[in-house]
Amino acid sequence: MTVWRSVLCMLALVACSDDSVRGPFDKLPQDAALTGYGLDGRVQVARDRYGVAHIHATTVGDAGFVQGYVMAHDRLAQMDLLRRFGAGTLAELFGALDPSVIDTDLEMRVHRMRPLAEATWQALQQSTDPTDAQIVALLQRFSDGVNAFVTDLRDEKWTLDPAVLESFDPQRFVAWTPVDSLVLGRFQAFALSWSTPFELDLDELYAHVRANFDLSTSTQPARVARKGISKDLLIFQPVGLVPTIDGFPNVTTDTGSSSDGSPRKRSVTGARPAIAQATYDRARGFFSRSIHTGAFGALGPHAFLHPFAGSNNWAVSPALTDGAALLATDQHLQLPNPSIFYPTHLIIENTNDPSVNLDVLGITFPGIPGVILGSNGKVAWSATVSEHDVNDLYRETIMACPAGSCVEHDGAQVPIEPFDETIVVGALGTETERFTVTYENVPHHGPLIPEIDRTTHRLVPRTATEALSVRYTGYEPSFEIRALWNLAHAANVDDGFRALSDFHFGSQNWTMIDAEQNIAWTTHAFVPDRAPAAYTWNAATNPNGAAPFFILDGRGGFDWVGAVSPRYVPHAKNPPQGYLATANADPVGATFDNDPLNQPVVDGHPLYVGVSYAAGVREERIATLIEQAPRPVTYETMAQIQHDTHSNVGAHLVPKILEALARLDTPTGAPADLAPYLASLSAADKARLATARGVLQGWMFATPVDGDGSAATAVFNAWVHFFLERALRDEFVAASFDMNRIDDNALIRIVYALLTRPEMFKPFAATGQPVVCDDFTSTTDDSCTTMILRAALDAVTYLESPQGFASADPAAWRWGQLHQLLIQPLFPNTALNLPRPGELATTGFPRAGDNFAINRADHGYKDLDFSQFADGPAQRFLAIANPGEPIAVKWQLPGGAIFDSRSPHYRDLLDQYYLPEQHFDAPFSIDQIVDSGEYRWDFQ
């Protein structure tokens, strides 16, 4: 082709007719012809009616380049923001506008994501493995594509949405590098596996309750009555008792295992260290979710470490269907505008080198090349957070030594290693100041948790001789991108297992199906195996023992001694029940007896993988719906389960609430406090309790925005809040601990156990019911029964008030009036809110569902703001593996592919599919792409 003809083709923006460069998408109208990027061959991009870009190339490098170019076109501002989150460079954009963003950078730098990503990139470049060579080409050319788009943007070949330009200046965009993509990969794995704040809170809560009740020498009757309640506020037993599989794999089921499946013996000694309150305070201040209060306060790490994040996924085998293997998944992550996921499709066809061929459709995080979750036609895979315990906190004993500062470890003095980080502050990239801060690292554990001065936005130099360090599986270079690249090439689930052997940290519940109709699941990752002394705690028999979910003594004896063997890390293939379901719950039932540390010893090692699980009700509900579904299970069945808004917690608790409300008719008898309480009520309050009973009695646990069940949903969720306030907050206050620091999964386990398993708790002599229900500050003796009624009265009174529905008529209590979802950009700009200001009569989209529904729409129990948190299903994905056919994908996404309010694909997937809860058929084959295509881009 002549240069002149090439120029004419570019200027005319029409398809060139040279048969030697014909492309698969030639039938689509050409929207752009792009030249001069040094590609190996022609690349075509087809944009389908859903806004998804399908990229067809002949080399890995070309596919990476064009994916970077197109992704930058669609999501450049988001990509920049996300890489800065992980690298700790947000202050360059917003620190001069909101100094709390400087604190965000100070928090993130302790994790050293960029240096670790640089080490991974160097190792990939030096590798002689052909797969690593492909990954290097993908990463480098992806970066080149991003930067090429930015150059074209600066040259005014493209324009950005003016609303985006208010908070993003492309002229100051720092060139993208492969390290940026690797930083983003680490950041996302970190966000889904970092549980250190949970362990800090758990340890401090336990220490406070022990000191203020169990070990207290006070003669105050309320404290004396509560001696021994530390176990009552540390309930590990979930509400739902359905595991993914029954017990750890390869323990009793595999005769080749050296385990006899015997329970762990706690003969080893090991004690929890005493922690100074000042040490707790410094560490808690560093991890605080409440200090980012400026204009850009949503940019704190808590924006990506939300305690209510979770996910569902499940696979069903042909044994329960009409011959297909089915996969369903919905990741519960942040719901910003634009959506956290980016849909993409890469097709590489090279007749000269078939080893590079690829055809993979799915989602990635903006800034990461390839596909993270999706399907290649032969295998489809999804992931949810597994909640493996991969972080440990250590109390370090610090002393002066010739090297400066040392920690005591195994009887020796080990020098602390300082490292410096430079913080740059600016406004949209214009630098206003820079400074250097020094962190401290314990070589055998990890960084010391520093202290931030929230006024000066600097680190406070450590002077204390006690501090906490963190050991974390994410604190060394790793190759998760290799796992994802190999997963994209997998031919079956066994290949998927092999690919995931490179997944080191950020453990997930990887659930897969393949075209051979297999189903499989694994949580493979590096799961620490600690010294036996770290597993000695028992609430009843050894309350001073050590546990991995508490702070461990850094002086030695509790260190990691290796990893749990992959034989025992929870996984399964084609289980007898015909399905595999996960929902962030205990995968093997290790906590079902409320003792997470009494699992078998295998090969001389005690089995333990975690405790910070969800309450188990989503997984229980998924399993129930699959087992009760008419046969055969179909894709429609899977879609119905994804959209299920049944109140799972309500179904568990309302029968007990109604038992208490039935006492309105029979107030006499035990507990002794009930009759006096009911006798003291006014006629109006008795009528309110009757209203609560009437509303809840007929509830079938549907949670619609209005209509039948709406009023009951409001009453129940208000009741949970007030019951927590009535029954539990007083104990937390008396223990000098903020109950709001405990997530709702833990609190609802306590509430459920109080109402259904009271024998687990210390009884109150006056009422015969758990003492924790008694009001610590009251002179009367209170039972759980009475507290249930008090909370019901509180709930109805609130809902009648102007702050609720301003009506005493339950017919006017519409759940959707209180329960709404507002989708906002990560940087403040109401013009980019969804719904737009004034679009609806409400401030957000009215939402069905409540806390812990499958169709996640949590609002939390700690206050009376029933708005859905800004997280929920970040995609709904269904895959269908019919015999002899490529796997088909059906999809929903909460936004649009292109972050530009001028584009028809800005929010079309939200409006047309996500909110109406309708899946679209994702085009996969060339013919399907062309049939659904809108236009194409040609890269010559």
Side-chain angles (χ1 to χ4, degrees):
M1 181 180 289
T2 65
V3 173
W4 174 245
R5 188 177 180 197
S6 177
V7 171
L8 283 178
C9 288
M10 181 182 69
L11 294 176
L13 296 180
V14 296
C16 300
S17 59
D18 190 330
D19 289 344
S20 66
V21 290
R22 289 184 64 83
F25 305 138
D26 280 351
K27 292 181 181 180
L28 296 176
Q30 189 185 64
D31 185 66
L34 303 158
T35 62
Y37 300 113
L39 298 174
D40 298 317
R42 181 179 184 179
V43 182
Q44 283 193 321
V45 181
R47 185 81 70 173
D48 67 24
R49 69 170 63 102
Y50 312 108
V52 179
H54 305 260
I55 298 168
H56 184 277
T58 58
T59 68
V60 172
D62 283 1
F65 179 92
V66 174
Q67 188 183 35
Y69 192 98
V70 175
M71 192 184 295
H73 170 275
D74 295 352
R75 301 285 188 92
L76 182 65
Q78 183 187 26
M79 292 166 62
D80 191 35
L81 206 61
L82 290 175
R83 68 167 167 173
R84 289 178 178 278
F85 259 116
T89 59
L90 274 173
E92 293 180 22
L93 296 184
F94 305 119
L97 306 174
D98 177 1
S100 75
V101 178
I102 302 171
D103 300 342
T104 293
D105 283 1
L106 293 172
E107 290 175 63
M108 294 308 299
R109 292 294 183 93
V110 77
H111 305 299
R112 309 205 75 195
M113 290 190 191
R114 188 167 188 87
L116 290 167
E118 289 169 344
T120 298
W121 175 236
Q122 183 178 15
L124 286 169
Q125 289 177 299
Q126 294 173 350
S127 172
T128 59
D129 185 274
T131 296
D132 289 347
Q134 291 182 9
I135 295 169
V136 167
L138 179 76
L139 286 165
Q140 183 59 63
R141 292 298 283 155
F142 176 88
S143 300
D144 295 341
V146 174
N147 296 328
F149 172 79
V150 174
T151 297
D152 288 352
L153 180 64
R154 290 169 176 165
D155 291 343
E156 299 183 351
K157 295 179 182 178
W158 305 99
T159 61
L160 292 183
D161 186 341
V164 174
L165 289 172
E166 290 183 16
S167 300
F168 175 73
D169 184 358
Q171 299 301 323
R172 293 178 173 82
F173 180 85
V174 178
W176 197 272
T177 71
V179 171
D180 290 320
S181 295
L182 293 171
V183 165
L184 266 171
R186 300 196 71 82
F187 178 43
Q188 297 302 338
F190 164 83
L192 301 174
S193 63
W194 176 250
S195 63
T196 296
F198 162 83
E199 294 183 3
L200 176 70
D201 287 342
L202 199 66
D203 190 276
E204 186 177 356
L205 170 63
Y206 188 65
H208 278 228
V209 176
R210 290 275 291 161
N212 284 279
F213 299 127
D214 296 9
L215 305 176
S216 173
T217 59
S218 170
T219 57
Q220 183 182 9
R223 292 193 188 275
V224 172
R226 285 165 174 76
K227 282 185 178 292
I229 68 161
S230 57
K231 65 178 180 59
D232 296 356
L233 298 182
L234 219 65
I235 301 296
F236 293 106
Q237 187 178 54
V239 179
L241 300 176
V242 177
T244 305
I245 59 175
D246 188 13
F248 285 93
N250 296 319
V251 175
T252 58
T253 57
D254 183 349
T255 57
S257 170
S258 61
S259 167
D260 62 2
S262 60
R264 176 177 305 150
K265 303 295 191 295
R266 289 188 173 89
S267 57
V268 178
T269 59
R272 289 177 55 253
I275 309 296
Q277 185 58 47
T279 303
Y280 283 128
D281 293 341
R282 285 191 294 269
R284 183 176 68 253
F286 185 77
F287 294 128
S288 174
R289 294 187 175 95
S290 62
I291 47 77
H292 301 278
T293 56
F296 293 85
L299 296 176
H302 57 287
F304 278 82
L305 296 171
H306 204 290
F308 296 95
S311 305
N312 308 310
N313 66 8
W314 62 96
V316 180
S317 77
L320 305 184
T321 72
D322 56 1
L326 304 176
L327 173 69
T329 188
D330 51 291
Q331 286 69 38
H332 303 160
L333 299 170
Q334 297 70 32
L335 295 180
N337 183 25
S339 62
I340 195 65
F341 284 144
Y342 178 75
T344 187
H345 186 186
L346 290 182
I347 306 168
I348 304 174
E349 285 188 299
N350 190 314
T351 56
N352 296 323
D353 184 6
S355 68
V356 304
N357 288 354
L358 179 68
D359 191 351
V360 61
L361 167 77
I363 54 91
T364 185
F365 290 104
I368 301 178
V371 165
I372 294 177
L373 307 176
S375 172
N376 62 10
K378 300 175 182 177
V379 180
W381 61 94
S382 63
T384 68
V385 177
S386 70
E387 302 290 350
H388 286 346
D389 184 353
V390 295
N391 336 240
D392 280 344
L393 279 166
Y394 292 93
R395 176 198 179 275
E396 302 291 355
T397 302
I398 305 172
M399 64 208 71
C401 65
S405 292
C406 289
V407 297
E408 180 183 347
H409 188 256
D410 287 343
Q413 293 184 352
V414 179
I416 294 174
E417 301 169 341
F419 64 92
D420 292 338
E421 295 281 334
T422 299
I423 306 294
V424 178
V425 181
L428 302 185
T430 299
E431 182 178 332
T432 58
E433 67 168 318
R434 66 172 56 206
F435 59 91
T436 299
V437 294
T438 300
Y439 296 85
E440 296 178 295
N441 186 66
V442 176
H444 46 278
H445 288 153
L448 292 178
I449 299 173
E451 180 181 2
I452 298 177
D453 186 319
R454 304 293 180 178
T455 301
T456 63
H457 309 289
R458 299 292 191 272
L459 293 186
V460 177
R462 179 196 52 77
T463 58
T465 57
E466 175 181 291
L468 302 181
S469 67
V470 184
R471 189 163 190 190
Y472 174 46
T473 56
Y475 283 163
E476 57 187 62
S478 56
F479 300 91
E480 286 72 30
I481 194 164
R482 183 191 295 146
L484 297 171
W485 186 246
N486 286 331
L487 192 55
H489 290 82
N492 50 47
V493 297
D494 293 327
D495 283 350
F497 278 134
R498 284 187 285 271
L500 290 167
S501 65
D502 276 312
F503 212 86
H504 181 80
F505 86 109
S507 171
Q508 301 285 289
N509 287 297
W510 295 96
T511 305
M512 300 174 279
I513 62 172
D514 64 25
E516 300 166 12
Q517 286 75 58
N518 296 300
I519 68 172
W521 156 76
T522 182
T523 61
H524 179 84
F526 183 97
V527 181
D529 180 20
R530 292 90 172 169
Y535 304 101
T536 57
W537 176 83
N538 179 272
T541 62
N542 191 15
N544 293 318
F549 43 82
F550 290 142
I551 298 171
L552 298 169
D553 193 330
R555 292 175 297 179
F558 303 92
D559 293 327
W560 296 1
V561 294
V564 176
S565 168
R567 289 175 53 78
Y568 310 117
V569 174
H571 65 276
K573 177 183 174 183
N574 295 331
Q577 71 264 27
Y579 68 91
L580 290 161
T582 82
N584 317 115
D586 184 340
V588 295
T591 60
F592 287 6
D593 64 353
N594 204 38
D595 186 347
L597 299 182
N598 66 343
Q599 298 306 300
V601 175
V602 295
D603 305 327
H605 298 269
L607 282 181
Y608 164 83
V609 293
V611 295
S612 58
Y613 301 117
V617 291
R618 282 184 287 118
E619 187 158 325
E620 177 186 59
R621 175 70 173 169
I622 292 167
T624 299
L625 291 176
I626 292 172
E627 291 177 353
Q628 294 179 352
R631 299 294 186 262
V633 174
T634 64
Y635 123 76
E636 289 85 0
T637 307
M638 305 285 271
Q640 290 170 1
I641 296 174
Q642 277 191 335
H643 300 142
D644 184 73
T645 54
H646 180 268
S647 179
N648 298 317
V649 176
H652 278 282
L653 295 183
V654 164
K656 292 299 179 180
I657 299 173
L658 288 173
E659 281 185 20
L661 287 167
R663 298 299 301 277
L664 292 170
D665 300 328
T666 57
T668 58
D673 66 316
L674 179 61
Y677 167 70
L678 291 175
S680 70
L681 294 177
S682 67
D685 283 346
K686 289 181 179 178
R688 291 185 176 98
L689 287 176
T691 295
R693 178 167 61 172
V695 167
L696 293 176
Q697 271 179 335
W699 191 27
M700 300 304 293
F701 310 112
T703 59
V705 296
D706 56 26
D708 190 25
S710 186
T713 306
V715 169
F716 170 70
N717 283 281
W719 176 88
V720 177
H721 166 76
F722 285 112
F723 185 79
L724 287 169
E725 294 296 309
R726 290 279 189 180
L728 293 183
R729 187 171 291 278
D730 56 323
E731 273 77 21
F732 284 92
V733 170
S736 301
F737 190 90
D738 183 1
M739 187 176 75
N740 290 344
R741 290 169 56 192
I742 304 301
D743 83 32
D744 285 347
N745 283 291
L747 292 175
I748 209 63
R749 286 198 292 265
I750 300 172
V751 172
Y752 178 66
L754 278 173
L755 270 58
T756 66
R757 305 163 186 159
E759 68 279 359
M760 294 175 61
F761 296 83
K762 181 175 182 179
F764 190 25
T767 64
Q769 296 187 13
V771 68
V772 295
C773 283
D774 176 56
D775 184 348
F776 185 89
T777 64
S778 173
T779 57
T780 61
D781 298 325
D782 306 299
S783 64
C784 295
T785 304
T786 298
M787 286 302 184
I788 292 171
L789 298 180
R790 288 182 185 273
L793 178 57
D794 292 338
V796 174
T797 302
Y798 174 79
L799 296 175
E800 290 178 351
S801 75
Q803 291 74 33
F805 296 104
S807 171
D809 182 4
W813 297 355
R814 297 177 175 86
W815 179 233
Q817 183 178 326
L818 301 179
H819 192 229
Q820 301 169 9
L821 170 64
L822 177 63
I823 297 174
Q824 299 173 285
L826 287 175
F827 44 81
N829 186 339
T830 56
L832 296 172
N833 285 355
L834 299 175
R836 297 185 305 272
E839 177 182 341
L840 301 176
T842 55
T843 57
F845 298 108
R847 300 293 291 155
D850 64 358
N851 291 322
F852 308 116
I854 293 176
N855 191 348
R856 195 74 181 266
D858 286 25
H859 51 81
Y861 292 130
K862 298 188 181 78
D863 57 35
L864 292 165
D865 179 359
F866 296 106
S867 301
Q868 179 179 338
F869 290 124
D871 57 11
Q875 71 159 348
R876 297 190 186 99
F877 177 99
L878 295 173
I880 306 165
N882 283 307
E885 299 177 10
I887 293 173
V889 169
K890 296 176 182 290
W891 225 347
Q892 295 172 28
L893 290 159
I898 302 175
F899 187 43
D900 188 329
S901 60
R902 303 168 299 177
S903 168
H905 299 302
Y906 170 60
R907 52 178 287 181
D908 54 331
L909 299 181
L910 173 75
D911 295 329
Q912 297 174 30
Y913 300 99
Y914 187 85
L915 292 174
E917 297 184 344
Q918 298 294 319
H919 292 82
F920 67 86
D921 293 311
F924 185 72
S925 70
I926 296 297
D927 288 344
Q928 291 170 342
I929 296 167
V930 172
D931 287 345
S932 67
E934 291 183 341
Y935 58 81
R936 77 177 193 271
W937 290 357
D938 284 303
F939 288 78
Q940 303 289 352

